[in-house]
Every structure is written in structure tokens, then in C-alpha cells.
Amino acid sequence: MKALAAAALFVGLPALAQTPEAKPLEPGRENLAIPYEKYTLPNGLEVILSVDRKLPVVAVNIWYHVGAYDETPGRTGFAHLFEHMMFQGSKHVPDDVHIGLLEQAGATDLNGTTSFDRTNYYETVPSNLLETALWLESDRMGFLLDSLTEKSLQTQKEVVKNERRQGVETAPYGEAQEKAWQALFPAPHPYSGNVIGSMKDLDAATVDDVKAFFRKWYAPANATLAIVGDFDPAKAKALVEKYFATLPSGPKPQRPDVKPVKVTRETVIRHDEKVATLPLLTMSWLTAPYLKPGDATADVLATALGTGRASRLFRRLVLDKQLAQTVEAVQQSQGAQSVFSIEAVARPGVTTDQLKKEIDAVLDEVRKDGVTQEEIVRARTRYDTRQLAGLQAVGGSGSKSDTLQSYNQFVGEPSYVAQDLARYQDVTPDAVKQFANDVLRPDARVVLHAVPSAGKAAPSSAPGKEAR
């Protein structure tokens, strides 16, 4: 599931207004429910409390329901820019002190992330320092703009621009993959481009622009605060009231209403790769949003095709024919539309056209015969294990607090883990076969050939030892 972490992944989007009914849970699955209490302050801030006394720590996790999806053309990268700005000080917290105060308090899992669909900030602190974490979060929610200056904005713009250079312009296949993504989501679709934004838009951003964006999207009415771990609920409520209830808030902003994109012909991109030394081939299709019908089926097929040494593409391209250095398949689940992609890096001397031929042969097999029940069981076991392992920690990416937030934003029900995992009970070999035929069509994909510039490609070599 995926790149919600990048992502994971949101209430307010029309496509997510209803979640399909899951089939009855298997015996024992009802025990997966996470105890919680949810309530809303008069200013609109949503609060989720979940007690977990395994360790004397507590996680504070805030999700602002804003991401790159909510930006307007010419003003991209603002959500990610605030991921940086929110750590740079607020009215009562000096510049660059926020992180230091938390680290001195013994905080762990301290970070912020941005996706197309949300922005989050989280930290885990010793239980007796919950008040410190809540004060810091409330100060930047209510008083960040008091410290935002032209100088601080320019500083963080340069930090973000450098991050883009490292992650896109000078990263292996970075510009090529951005081209493929934009072909799937042509402008002005909100998913077009990159969460980090463009250099042009970052340069053009003014103090007034970013202040207006903050006032609209970072108000209490557009945020959810989760407190998970070893704490006293009554005391926690009193602290939430003390630090958040007095923050003013306007109405909850409306997210863009965007029609789903349809790809009706194969788009082929041949990119002159200037950084990497080996050719890359990717195939990408638009698929169902997170938790909608077809999303779990795509997960199962991605596992069968490209996860682990037993997967079909790994066996064929890496082990048997020794054409690829690496190969993977993934369902990148998102709020409006998801993306199913296959990515393979060629061995020296192998062309992307050779990789394409072999991948298409494997896909044709799936379209004809589906996958085996054993492959479905392996995929289900993988998702069960990963999800349940994440719930052992109260804070951090993929933790219990993050899981509560994710389900709350997608379906309005924080304790949805059992229903989520139950989706995979419905996946059958015939369902995978149908998905491959209906969705993974050759005329509904973007194919990227990223081939190194002449003279830059790695030297050819005969197939040798198995890639690891």
C-alpha cells in the first residue's frame, strides 16, 4: 500500500465519500479493533485519543488535510514548503528551536511529511512531557505567521529547491519519472507534477501567497490531532482544551472536485537519461483510489509480480533470463486515483525494449490465467504482517497513531484495520485475472524508456552471477 507514505494516503474527496462494505471478519479479527475516543472542539479541531500503556511514552500526531492536490496551477509546492516552515519557529518559539526542545525532552520519531493528499507532523515523547509537545504543536498551528518573514521564507525556499535538485534534477531517473507521472496526470490535474513543486513556482512564491495558503488550510477546522500512548485521558483533554481550544478557525475549506483521468491510448516516452548509467523501463496505469474496489486486487497482483525472489517478474527477468538488475511492481494508493506501476532496471547491454517484451509476456500470462491461490495467500500474509507490526509502535510513520489518522481521513473511522485487511479476503484468482484484463491494458498505460546518453551507459557484460 504503498506509497501513502510516501504516503498512505482522504475524507473530503468525492471519490471517497463511501467505502464499500467489507465481508464478515474472520474469527479473531474483531480483536484488531483499536480502542479510541474521537471528539471535536468548537473551533473544528478533531481529536483522537487512544491509550496504550505498553511503554511510558506518548505520540502526538497532527494531520492537516492538505497536500499538493489542493494547490493551484502556478502555486505548486506550498504544502511541502510548509512542512519545512513549520519547524522554523513561531510566535513563542524562536527560530530553529522547535526540534531542539523536543530532542532535549527525549523525543523520538520526530518528523513531518507531505503527500498529494495530506501533511503530517509527529513526535513521540516521554509520557510526562506530553504538555510540551502539545504546546509546541499549538503554537505553530496558531502563531506560525507571526514569525514568517521574507528572510525566513527565502531561506526555506532555497532549502526546498536544493531538495528538488537532489531528488529530481540530479537523481537517477528523477526527471524521467516526473515526465511519466505528468503523462498520467496532465496539467491542470492537481496530481500533475511533483509534491515538492517546480523551481519556477518556488521562485515566484511571495510572503503574501504563502500566508494566504496557510490561513486557508492550516486552521484547526482542517486538522486532526491524535494522542496515542501512555497518558491519562482526562488530563490530555484538559491540555488539548488549554492549548488548542482558544485558537481561532474559519470554515473547513473545500477540496478540489476533479474528475478522474482516463488514459485511452498507450503513451511512450523515450528519455535521454543524463544521470543513471543503466536503462530503466517503467509501465504505469491509473487504478482505483485507496480502499475502493480494485485497490486490494492491485496490491495482490503487485506482490505476485514484483515483491520478493518468488515473484513472477523477478524469476523471469532477474533469475531465469538475467536481463534485469532489479524489478518491482507496486500499487501506489492515493486519495483521488492510484497508480499501478512496474519498474525494471536493465543489466549492462540489455535494452528497455527487451525488458518490455518479457514484462508483456508475464502480463499476458496473468491476463490469461490469473494468479494462484498460493500467491494470494502470500500477499495477504505480507499485508497482515506489515500492518500488525506497525501497530506495535505508538508513534512514527506507519505506527498506531499514523494508522488511526489515515483511516480517519479516508473513511472517517480511525479503527478500520480489521476491515482494511478483510478486503483481501475477497481477492480471487479470477478477480486478479479480470483486473489485469480490464485495467492493465496495453492501450491504457504510460511506458517510459529512460536510456543513458551515448557514452554514459554502463559497459556491456555477459550474464553472470545472479543479481542480489
Side-chain angles (χ1 to χ4, degrees), residues 16-337:
L16 296 177
Q18 296 293 329
T19 301
E21 291 292 331
K23 64 189 296 185
L25 301 180
E26 292 178 338
R29 291 270 168 149
E30 65 277 2
N31 296 327
L32 295 176
I34 304 172
Y36 74 92
E37 178 183 356
K38 184 169 75 169
Y39 64 98
T40 303
L41 296 180
N43 62 8
L45 177 68
E46 196 171 45
V47 182
I48 300 171
L49 305 177
S50 179
V51 175
D52 183 330
R53 301 197 185 281
K54 288 195 298 288
L55 294 171
V57 296
V58 60
V60 173
N61 188 318
I62 290 187
W63 279 38
Y64 293 92
H65 307 296
V66 57
Y69 183 92
D70 304 291
E71 296 165 351
T72 57
R75 293 294 183 269
T76 64
F78 280 26
H80 178 259
L81 179 63
F82 272 111
E83 177 194 321
H84 290 258
M85 296 298 298
M86 293 281 266
F87 286 102
Q88 297 310 304
S90 47
K91 183 176 181 178
H92 306 102
V93 181
D95 187 23
D96 282 333
V97 171
H98 184 108
I99 292 177
L101 284 174
L102 286 170
E103 289 178 338
Q104 290 173 25
T108 58
D109 300 315
L110 168 58
N111 209 344
T113 67
T114 310
S115 75
F116 281 107
D117 298 301
R118 59 98 186 102
T119 305
N120 67 350
Y121 302 91
Y122 52 85
E123 60 270 343
T124 302
V125 297
S127 297
N128 63 320
L129 293 174
L130 172 61
E131 183 170 7
T132 299
L134 292 177
W135 167 64
L136 286 168
E137 291 294 352
S138 69
D139 202 66
R140 61 182 177 182
M141 178 185 286
F143 306 100
L144 181 81
L145 297 188
D146 293 78
S147 66
L148 196 157
T149 64
E150 180 67 35
K151 181 180 178 181
S152 64
L153 175 60
Q154 291 301 324
T155 298
Q156 292 312 308
K157 282 166 63 172
E158 290 304 315
V159 171
V160 173
K161 286 164 63 178
N162 189 55
E163 186 178 342
R164 179 181 165 86
R165 291 186 193 99
Q166 294 178 344
V168 181
E169 274 92 353
T170 63
Y173 315 115
E175 290 186 333
Q177 291 168 328
E178 188 174 54
K179 283 183 182 178
W181 188 267
Q182 290 171 342
L184 285 169
F185 297 104
H189 191 283
Y191 281 174
S192 182
N194 198 303
V195 170
I196 204 169
S198 71
M199 290 293 194
K200 179 180 178 181
D201 290 353
L202 288 168
D203 282 334
T206 67
V207 170
D208 288 341
D209 289 334
V210 296
K211 282 186 175 182
F213 188 82
F214 184 88
R215 291 189 184 101
K216 179 177 181 179
W217 295 103
Y218 292 80
N222 198 46
T224 301
L225 165 67
I227 302 173
V228 180
D230 180 24
F231 65 93
D232 179 274
K235 292 181 180 179
K237 287 182 179 181
L239 291 173
V240 170
E241 179 74 19
K242 176 180 178 180
Y243 290 110
F244 290 92
T246 57
L247 299 181
S249 182
K252 185 176 179 65
Q254 293 297 310
R255 307 199 71 181
D257 185 1
V258 181
K259 292 182 179 180
V261 179
K262 292 184 179 180
V263 176
T264 57
R265 63 179 179 84
E266 182 179 69
T267 299
V268 179
I269 299 171
R270 293 192 179 271
H271 175 79
D272 183 15
E273 174 60 33
K274 295 180 172 58
V275 181
T277 59
L278 290 172
L280 168 79
L281 177 80
T282 68
M283 297 179 179
S284 303
W285 294 262
L286 295 172
T287 54
Y290 182 42
L291 295 176
K292 301 296 280 188
D295 180 50
T297 306
D299 274 334
V300 169
L301 180 53
T303 300
L305 287 176
T307 302
R309 297 173 62 84
S311 63
R312 296 190 179 208
L313 289 172
F314 189 92
R315 291 201 312 265
R316 187 180 187 109
L317 272 70
V318 178
L319 298 181
D320 297 343
K321 302 210 170 183
Q322 299 189 21
L323 297 174
Q325 295 279 85
T326 61
V327 62
E328 65 176 352
V330 64
Q331 164 77 346
Q332 183 176 339
S333 296
Q334 301 181 136
Q337 278 181 282

Side-chain angles (χ1 to χ4, degrees), residues 320-377:
D320 297 343
K321 302 210 170 183
Q322 299 189 21
L323 297 174
Q325 295 279 85
T326 61
V327 62
E328 65 176 352
V330 64
Q331 164 77 346
Q332 183 176 339
S333 296
Q334 301 181 136
Q337 278 181 282
S338 302
V339 175
F340 186 100
S341 61
I342 297 171
E343 178 178 295
V345 175
R347 285 194 172 190
V350 176
T351 68
T352 51
D353 289 313
Q354 289 176 277
L355 294 179
K356 181 176 180 294
K357 178 181 177 181
E358 296 302 327
I359 292 172
D360 275 335
V362 174
L363 291 175
D364 285 340
E365 291 174 358
V366 176
R367 294 185 187 109
K368 180 181 178 182
D369 302 318
V371 297
T372 66
Q373 186 62 33
E374 179 184 359
E375 288 173 304
I376 291 176
V377 171

